[in-house]
Amino acid sequence: DSQRGKGISSEEALTWSFTLKDFVQLVGPGLIPLSDFLPSESWWKTTYWGWAGCALALMGLWTLGRRSWALAIYLIAVMLLLLGGSNPVSRWIWENFWPLHFVRYPGNLAFLLMPAMVFLIALGIYRRGWAVCATGVLIAELFAYSLWTQRTISRDYFTDPSPLIPALRELAQ
């Protein structure tokens, strides 16, 4: 008997919303204290494009010129949805637009920024003599971030049985 069949209440869904300051960390984890960068708890806020990626995206936006209005509207609309309960306009949308009742929380929509950013980054390096170098810098920057922000856990976390396993085996006998 799923409670989600009727949708999720806005009180529950809007618990995990972005705030305006959360958008800063999409550039890179160094812009906020490392203690606030919690991939294990706030994974939807720990995606980043890097300084190089953001600079290339701005170049791509500049390349579009006047044609950038549709993409800008898309980005603003997605960012508004991500704000969820931290913004009155976004809260109203989440409470009154019924399809959103089936989205677990606003942070789950963060992936919607990705197609626009990838398009803008690609446009920023398109037909540039330094495109290969810029791509290398972007990859190196994102890889470096991953080394100190995405914590790993030991293999035994996945292979050692928890106390629940022996208890269940005992019950089954």
Side-chain angles (χ1 to χ4, degrees), residues 91-132:
R91 175 179 286 283
W92 184 90
I93 293 169
W94 278 89
E95 289 174 348
N96 294 291
F97 188 58
W98 68 267
L100 291 176
H101 296 175
F102 297 97
V103 177
R104 189 159 186 182
Y105 46 84
N108 270 353
L109 300 178
F111 76 92
L112 293 174
L113 294 172
M114 203 58 72
M117 285 299 290
V118 169
F119 172 73
L120 289 172
I121 290 169
L123 193 58
I125 62 173
Y126 182 65
R127 291 188 178 175
R128 309 228 192 234
W130 42 262
V132 172

Side-chain angles (χ1 to χ4, degrees), residues 1-72:
D1 188 31
S2 174
Q3 294 178 342
R4 293 188 191 147
K6 298 175 211 155
I8 297 172
S9 70
S10 60
E11 296 84 39
E12 180 182 350
L14 297 179
T15 303
W16 295 283
S17 302
F18 272 62
T19 61
L20 284 175
K21 71 176 186 155
D22 291 327
F23 288 109
V24 172
Q25 65 190 353
L26 295 176
V27 175
L31 293 177
I32 62 168
L34 190 56
S35 60
D36 292 345
F37 195 80
L38 304 169
S40 60
E41 294 176 23
S42 302
W43 59 267
W44 66 92
K45 296 179 182 178
T46 58
T47 301
Y48 39 87
W49 301 302
W51 288 98
C54 289
L56 292 168
L58 285 174
M59 291 176 70
L61 195 62
W62 180 265
T63 302
L64 281 175
R66 292 184 191 175
R67 298 171 293 176
S68 65
W69 65 269
L71 194 57

